[in-house]
Amino acid sequence: MKVYYSETHRQHDAPFEVLEGGVSVPVFECPERMDRILAALATTGWAEVTPPRDFGLGPIRAVHAADYLDYLQTAYDDWQAESGQLGIETLNPVLYPATFPPRRGRGKPSSVVGRAGYYTMDLSAPIVAGTYPAAAASAQCALSAAEEVARGDRVAFALCRPPGHHAGRDYAGGYCYLNNAAIAARYLTRRGKVAVVDVDYHAGNGTQDIFYEAGDVLTISIHADPARQYPYFMGYADETGEGPGAGLHRNFPLPPGTGDAAYLRALDEALALVRAFGPESLVVSAGMDIYAGDPLGDFAVTTEGVRAIGRGLAALRLPTVVVMEGGYNNEALGENVVGLLSAFLIE
Ligand code: SP5
Ligand code: ZN
C-alpha cells in the first residue's frame, strides 16, 4: 500500500494551545504522532512510504478561498512585523488571535492579528513559521494518494499532518489549516461522484461546510454530539445539505462512552447511505481519537473496533483514499492506524 508522507510536517510545531477554561497545554497534535504511525507501518512489510508529488496550488484553490490561502502564506511574517510595531510581547514565535468576529460579513481588517481572528475558529490552530509549508505538504500527500487511486490502485494512505477536516473554505481550526480530505475528494470528482466518510471523534465541520451545497460529493460524519463537544456549532443530525447538495450530508452524533457495537451500528447506517449514493470513489477521514484511551475523546472504541471499522469501509469495495486526521493516544496510534488499513489488504 502506498503511504504518502512528507517530513515537512516537523516545521509545524507550536509551543502550546489554549483549551476550554483558558488553560494552555502542549499541543496534543504533535510531530511525535507521525513517528508512532511510521514505526508501526515499518513493522508491517506492506507499507510503501513515499514522498508526495507536487500538484501545485491548483487543486487546493478548487477547495479553499484565494484570500484565505494568501493569509496562510503571509500571516507568520506579517505577525513578526506587526507585533514588533505594536510592541506586543510575544513569548513564543506563534500567531494566535484573541478577538473573533460576532458577524463575519463586515470584512477583513488590515491588522494580521485581526485577520487571524477572522480566519480562525478556535485557539487550537496556531500559526508558526513552518505552518504553511507543513499544511501545503500535507495537502500534497492527500493529492498524491488521490492520484494513485484515480490511476487504479485499490487504496492509498495519505499520512497527513497537520490534519484537515475542521478547516473550511476560508478558515482554520482544531489543528487544521487545509482540508486534505476535501482536496482529495474534489480532485477525485473528475472520475465521478465521491463519498467522504469521517470517523474522527470530532465532527468534520470543514468538510461538511465545503461540500454542503455540492451535488457530486456525499459527506458523512460520525462523531461526538456537538451539543456537548467540540466543534459545538456544526455536526448536528438535522444538517443534511442544501441546494444541489440537499440530502447529501449526514451527521451521526453519538453519546459519551460509545463502544464498538454502537459505533458499528452507526457506521452500518452510514455505509448504506454510501451504497445508495453510488460513488466512484471513497475518501475516509481517519481520526483515531474514537479510541477508548484518547485524551481528547470519551468514546470506548477498541483497537478491534477500529479493525472492524476498516472492514466495513473496505467492504464498500470502492477505490479508497484514507486520510489521516486526529488521534492523540500516541501509544496506541500506530496499532490503530495499521488495524484500520489492514482491512483494505484483504477486501
Ligand atoms: C483533528 C482533530 O481531531 N482536532 C480536534 C481539535 C479539538 N480541539 C478542542 C479540544 C477540546 C478538548 N477538551 C477536552 C479535554 C479533556 N481532557
Ligand atoms: Zn478529532
Side-chain angles (χ1 to χ4, degrees):
M1 186 185 307
K2 282 277 193 336
V3 174
Y4 291 98
Y5 168 76
S6 167
E7 281 288 317
T8 310
H9 78 86
R10 294 192 198 281
Q11 298 177 34
H12 174 64
D13 192 4
F16 65 93
E17 65 177 305
V18 184
L19 295 185
E20 279 83 0
V23 57
S24 288
V25 297
V27 185
F28 280 94
E29 201 291 287
C30 59
E32 187 194 346
R33 298 175 61 242
M34 298 296 104
D35 296 325
R36 298 295 191 130
I37 296 167
L38 288 167
L41 288 170
T43 66
T44 65
W46 47 254
E48 252 183 87
V49 179
T50 313
R53 249 195 63 198
D54 187 5
F55 293 76
L57 275 178
I60 297 175
R61 288 190 194 283
V63 163
H64 290 286
D67 61 304
Y68 173 63
L69 293 173
D70 290 346
Y71 160 77
L72 282 182
Q73 284 173 64
T74 56
Y76 181 78
D77 288 345
D78 288 356
W79 172 234
Q80 293 315 297
E82 183 174 303
S83 55
Q85 282 158 22
L86 295 174
I88 293 175
E89 247 185 89
T90 55
L91 291 176
N92 296 291
V94 54
L95 169 57
Y96 270 111
T99 308
F100 300 90
R103 285 183 305 277
R104 219 167 170 232
R106 179 62 188 81
K108 297 130 206 152
S110 56
S111 155
V112 70
V113 75
R115 276 181 290 137
Y118 181 88
Y119 289 119
T120 313
M121 63 182 275
D122 58 39
L123 295 179
S124 293
I127 289 189
V128 297
T131 297
Y132 179 75
S138 189
Q140 299 299 339
C141 289
L143 284 163
S144 300
E147 194 195 33
E148 178 67 17
V149 159
R151 280 188 185 162
D153 205 349
R154 188 256 177 279
V155 62
F157 180 41
L159 180 46
C160 292
R161 178 179 183 274
H165 75 146
H166 295 305
R169 184 178 146 70
D170 66 352
Y171 60 85
Y175 314 135
C176 303
Y177 305 85
L178 298 176
N179 194 316
N180 307 308
I183 291 165
R186 183 40 82 206
Y187 184 86
L188 283 169
T189 55
R190 64 180 57 180
R191 298 178 75 247
K193 296 191 292 183
V194 178
V196 182
V197 177
D198 187 328
V199 302
D200 188 280
Y201 171 81
H202 304 97
N205 62 282
T207 313
Q208 170 176 336
D209 225 355
I210 286 164
F211 294 119
Y212 209 61
E213 296 182 36
D216 54 353
V217 182
L218 170 71
T219 51
I220 299 177
S221 181
I222 306 170
H223 49 253
D225 190 340
R228 64 177 186 86
Q229 263 291 0
Y230 181 90
Y232 300 114
F233 305 106
M234 240 184 264
Y236 294 89
D238 63 356
E239 298 160 359
T240 56
E242 276 172 14
L248 298 185
H249 180 76
R250 290 292 293 271
N251 288 313
F252 291 86
L254 299 174
T258 294
D260 294 349
Y263 193 96
L264 292 167
R265 278 197 295 276
L267 181 71
D268 273 347
E269 267 190 71
L271 298 177
L273 294 168
V274 174
R275 288 191 177 93
F277 181 62
E280 298 299 323
S281 27
L282 174 70
V283 175
V284 177
S285 267
M288 293 298 129
D289 37 12
I290 51 176
Y291 177 65
D294 195 278
L296 289 187
D298 60 9
F299 283 178
V301 174
T302 65
T303 298
E304 188 42 51
V306 171
R307 286 195 200 99
I309 293 167
R311 288 194 294 273
L313 293 165
L316 291 171
R317 293 184 167 280
L318 289 166
T320 301
V321 174
V322 180
V323 178
M324 193 67 220
E325 301 285 1
Y328 311 101
N329 182 316
N330 284 347
E331 281 69 40
L333 190 51
E335 195 187 356
N336 283 334
V337 168
V338 166
L340 184 94
L341 294 176
S342 306
F344 289 89
L345 302 169
I346 302 156
E347 188 112 39

